[in-house]
Amino acid sequence: MAMKAWRLHRSRADRLEFDDVPVPEPAAGEVLVEIHAIGLNSSEMQLVRGDWEGPDLKRPYPMIPGIEAAGVIVAAGPGAPTHRVGERVTVHYRWACGDCDECVGGNENTCQVAAAPDAPKFGRTIDGAYAEYARVPAGFAVRIPDQVSYADAAAMTVSGGTAWHMAVVRGQLRPNETVLVTGGSSGVGSMLVQIAKLAGTRVAATAGGPDKARRLRELGVELVLDHRADDDWSASFAQLSDGAGIDCVLDISGAGTWPRFMGSMRHHGRIIVGGYMSGDRGDFDLKESTIREIAIAGASSWTRRSVRDVLGLAAHGDLRPVVGATLPLRELPDGLRMLRDRTAYGNLVVQVR
């Protein structure tokens, strides 16, 4: 039995081929997922382009990229639970070992085994989501609530899981705080905005251009800053926070925005770093961060618990991904080009079925 799949045939190819390939057979402990919807992510565009290479990285070619897929379990391999056949699931791409110190401590997102360059990672080092079927370990197929569509689940597994881990687990947002979300119009950014609003905070966000700014205001953002036009944000931050300053920055843009908000951080403020699209090197005043005791913390990936939490909120109507465009499988590369050119707003979804 054959299926259609987008494959990367060599390192740094910067293009995908739409191939006919055999439907994979689930191995021991695995399930076969019939994919209904795929979420597209900037990291996948970078992988195809060749930015995710390294001397120790082992990636077989040709391979199927893609880390975000939602569908239904249609078969179970030896030892996998057969009662789950027919269950609607979304795929958690990082397959933690469950035994290392990090996993035992509840931090599967920083699993020591999964972090190894040769560890199997869905859509990173082994075949992933850009296809009609995929095989995954049964434990990393997360059930989708009945009230959540395949498209919404595909759109919010990565963006929602990442945002929840940043804002709630690492950021510990509290009511009445002033929060800045950088990259607010992205998939992760639009989820961060919604979660920050649910936490009862005042929200500022950055975006590029009036159309993206308008859409962020529709999500309830009180202050939208155009990162392409505004040079001095301090007066706007002061007005939003009644002069107190920013309590927490949820940063996915990277070093390029730091000089523009550091001066507005309040004492004991927090900066949660979850991305670095504008660069991973920058200058800021260490003296100021020391005097005001500003805490800087990283937020790496997400956990299955975070995914279940956001899907639960979606099931109750409290959270929903912002889907900027939906494409058929044949047009998947067009979505990656939208991510590359930064013309997308929110999440991009590929409808397979």
Side-chain angles (χ1 to χ4, degrees), residues 174-185:
R174 297 181 285 272
N176 299 315
E177 288 190 319
T178 299
V179 174
L180 169 64
V181 176
T182 68
S185 62

Side-chain angles (χ1 to χ4, degrees), residues 106-182:
N107 303 310
E108 68 177 18
N109 57 307
T110 50
C111 170
Q112 297 162 4
V113 175
D118 59 348
K121 298 180 185 68
F122 186 71
R124 289 276 197 263
T125 59
I126 62 172
D127 286 341
Y130 290 1
E132 294 180 303
Y133 292 88
R135 61 184 184 94
V136 299
F140 294 92
V142 179
R143 190 183 71 84
I144 302 171
D146 293 340
Q147 302 91 332
V148 180
S149 69
Y150 289 118
D152 280 357
M156 69 192 307
T157 298
V158 172
S159 62
T162 300
W164 188 264
H165 187 69
M166 287 182 65
V168 178
V169 179
R170 301 292 285 157
Q172 299 182 11
L173 298 187
R174 297 181 285 272
N176 299 315
E177 288 190 319
T178 299
V179 174
L180 169 64
V181 176
T182 68

Side-chain angles (χ1 to χ4, degrees), residues 205-235:
T206 68
D211 183 58
K212 291 180 178 179
R214 174 185 59 79
R215 296 190 186 192
L216 281 175
R217 293 188 186 96
E218 291 172 354
L219 287 179
V221 175
E222 288 95 333
L223 171 65
V224 182
L225 301 158
D226 190 334
H227 62 79
R228 301 184 306 189
D230 298 328
D231 294 323
D232 185 0
W233 296 344
S234 57

Side-chain angles (χ1 to χ4, degrees), residues 75-138:
T82 56
H83 71 271
R84 295 192 66 187
V85 172
E87 184 177 308
R88 302 166 70 248
V89 297
T90 185
V91 177
H92 183 76
Y93 94 101
R94 190 181 176 95
W95 300 342
C97 72
D99 297 320
C100 69
D101 291 344
E102 292 296 310
C103 287
V104 172
N107 303 310
E108 68 177 18
N109 57 307
T110 50
C111 170
Q112 297 162 4
V113 175
D118 59 348
K121 298 180 185 68
F122 186 71
R124 289 276 197 263
T125 59
I126 62 172
D127 286 341
Y130 290 1
E132 294 180 303
Y133 292 88
R135 61 184 184 94
V136 299

Side-chain angles (χ1 to χ4, degrees), residues 264-349:
S264 296
M265 296 295 299
R266 71 177 302 167
H267 280 72
H268 311 294
R270 306 164 330 265
I271 302 172
I272 310 301
V273 184
Y276 30 83
M277 288 297 290
S278 69
D280 57 4
R281 299 286 188 276
D283 297 323
F284 64 93
D285 192 337
L286 279 174
K287 180 178 70 176
E288 284 298 316
S289 63
T290 302
I291 291 171
R292 284 182 280 157
E293 294 195 337
I294 298 168
I296 302 172
S300 176
S301 187
W302 60 95
T303 64
R304 283 171 287 181
R305 180 173 180 176
S306 294
V307 173
R308 292 186 184 104
D309 286 339
V310 295
L311 290 175
L313 287 170
H316 289 93
D318 296 323
L319 193 64
R320 188 170 186 183
V322 176
V323 177
T326 301
L327 304 169
L329 181 59
R330 183 169 291 276
E331 297 176 14
L332 184 150
D334 292 340
L336 295 181
R337 281 188 284 272
M338 292 171 67
L339 292 171
R340 180 197 64 195
D341 298 339
R342 299 191 178 186
T343 58
Y345 175 77
N347 298 273
L348 298 180
V349 172

